[in-house]
Amino acid sequence: MSRYILRRLIAMPFLVLGIVTIAFLITTVTKGDPLTAIVAEQQMSNPEVVAAAKARWGLDRPLPERYMIYLGNLLSGDLGTSFITKRNVGTDILYRLPATLELVFAAMIFGTVLGISLGVLAAYFRNSLIDHGARLFALFGSSLPVFWSGLGLLFIFSVILGWLPGPGRLDARLALPPSVTGFLTIDSLLAGDLTVFRDALRHLMLPAFVLGWTVSGTISRLVRANMLDVMSREFVLTARAKGAGEFRVVVVHALRNTLVPTLTVIGYSFAYLITGAVLTETIFSWPGMGSYAVEAARALDFPAIIGVTIVGGLAFLVTNLLTDIAYVVANPRVRLG
């Protein structure tokens, strides 16, 4: 495993270089003009202002030179300056990333626990009312568009019932706790502010459920299908014949042998949600990476777009590596080559 991890770590910089190159080239072939995000509309007709803006942002240089300059800056940790915020893109991303990670972690915990539980119950009580109900829940979670389920649940639980707060990450009347981790729920606990903790948790519940529902639907269907296959295997019958309890048979013997394909889905879902939670963050006014990507795309903020792409690519690479390592932990018979 050590050699495998070392090879993956050596290959990772080259994969990141490919991601950076593709993202950079795509931004250069788009029909949109980045000057519209830099120069005011009434000054676009002034050639001196346009020329000064191009020189300021390096847009007057040849494409290969701009690419090499960007790579040089990237090696020093500089992701460029945002056209809109006029701050370093890395600073903007670091400011917004904790909000997305808090949402994604909560969604993954909910989706994974619920998905595995429903999948096991559906397989164990095959063709029963529990099985049909679990599969129906999974079907809705996987097929309903996020913008529809998000708006619908927000209308029901916030507007009609009033059980949960509306969009946002925290009530505007509450002060933010001192930032330690960037996670409001954790920082508020560290500060001993239970009022902020409860409010942050209530704001987190609905968007995390919306994101986690899509994940739980996929996981539960996969776990059910694999459990049905494993439950008929000889080693499960042998465990029952030796007098093993039903819980041990289902969880230790059957479920553990279905975790390898499940870990693949969990790892991919986590990496995808980091940059793929665009609609959820937009609907719930969540100040994370998704809403940052939407703002960058609307304004043709190319440095910000490339920065988000790089972070998303790194998330996929790191998550895939951790998933491969988790294969061996979940099933020692797996060997990485």
Side-chain angles (χ1 to χ4, degrees):
M1 184 189 293
S2 299
R3 291 194 300 268
Y4 174 80
I5 295 174
L6 182 61
R7 289 199 301 269
R8 290 287 295 270
L9 292 176
I10 293 174
M12 196 170 292
F14 298 98
L15 295 173
V16 173
L17 177 62
I19 294 171
V20 172
T21 303
I22 293 174
F24 186 87
L25 292 177
I26 289 178
T27 57
T28 60
V29 299
T30 56
K31 294 183 179 180
D33 187 359
L35 287 175
T36 57
I38 303 172
V39 181
E41 184 178 355
Q42 59 271 22
Q43 295 180 326
M44 286 293 291
S45 58
N46 190 329
E48 294 181 356
V49 174
V50 172
K54 287 183 177 181
R56 164 68 177 81
W57 297 96
L59 299 175
D60 57 340
R61 299 178 181 179
L63 178 60
E65 184 179 353
R66 287 159 51 194
Y67 174 68
M68 296 306 298
I69 293 175
Y70 186 81
L71 285 183
N73 294 335
L74 191 62
L75 289 175
S76 63
D78 185 4
L79 292 176
T81 303
S82 169
F83 293 161
I84 304 303
T85 65
K86 303 299 186 295
R87 294 192 300 266
N88 187 278
V89 173
T91 303
D92 287 342
I93 290 177
L94 288 176
Y95 176 76
R96 289 176 173 263
L97 186 58
T100 294
L101 289 178
E102 184 177 33
L103 176 59
V104 170
F105 275 124
M108 288 303 304
I109 292 173
F110 168 77
T112 301
V113 172
L114 183 62
I116 292 177
S117 302
L118 290 178
V120 171
L121 290 174
Y124 189 78
F125 298 100
R126 182 181 182 182
N127 294 328
S128 67
L129 186 62
I130 295 177
D131 182 20
H132 295 315
R135 284 193 288 172
L136 184 63
F137 182 85
L139 178 63
F140 278 121
S142 302
S143 58
L144 285 178
V146 173
F147 69 86
W148 191 92
S149 60
L151 289 173
L153 293 174
L154 187 63
F155 179 72
I156 293 173
F157 289 99
S158 180
V159 178
I160 297 180
L161 299 177
W163 293 353
L164 294 173
R169 199 177 175 200
L170 190 68
D171 194 303
R173 293 168 294 183
L174 296 177
L176 292 173
S179 182
V180 179
T181 64
F183 292 21
L184 289 184
T185 50
I186 297 178
D187 289 346
S188 58
L189 285 178
L190 293 177
D193 194 337
L194 296 181
T195 302
V196 173
F197 170 76
R198 285 192 295 267
D199 189 78
L201 186 62
R202 294 179 72 241
H203 277 85
L204 180 63
M205 289 174 63
L206 203 53
F209 175 80
V210 172
L211 274 183
W213 193 8
T214 62
V215 175
S216 67
T218 305
I219 292 176
S220 64
R221 290 187 299 174
L222 180 64
V223 170
R224 178 185 183 275
N226 285 284
M227 284 287 292
L228 289 176
D229 176 60
V230 171
M231 291 289 286
S232 60
R233 298 283 182 88
E234 292 181 356
F235 67 87
V236 174
L237 300 177
T238 302
R240 281 177 170 156
K242 289 183 177 181
E246 201 65 16
F247 179 83
R248 180 177 177 82
V249 170
V250 174
V251 176
V252 177
H253 294 280
L255 179 60
R256 187 174 184 181
N257 285 272
T258 68
L259 286 182
V260 171
T262 306
L263 286 173
T264 304
V265 175
I266 293 174
Y268 172 80
S269 300
F270 180 83
Y272 169 76
L273 290 181
I274 290 180
T275 54
V278 174
L279 291 177
T280 303
E281 291 190 2
T282 303
I283 292 170
F284 290 94
S285 299
W286 198 263
M289 289 279 293
S291 57
Y292 183 65
V294 171
E295 295 169 5
R298 286 174 176 171
L300 296 178
D301 191 350
F302 290 161
I305 294 172
I306 298 175
V308 172
T309 305
I310 293 173
V311 172
L314 282 173
F316 272 100
L317 293 175
V318 173
T319 305
N320 286 337
L321 177 60
L322 295 178
T323 302
D324 290 344
I325 297 173
Y327 287 164
V328 179
V329 177
N331 192 343
R333 293 177 301 174
V334 176
R335 290 294 177 263
L336 302 176

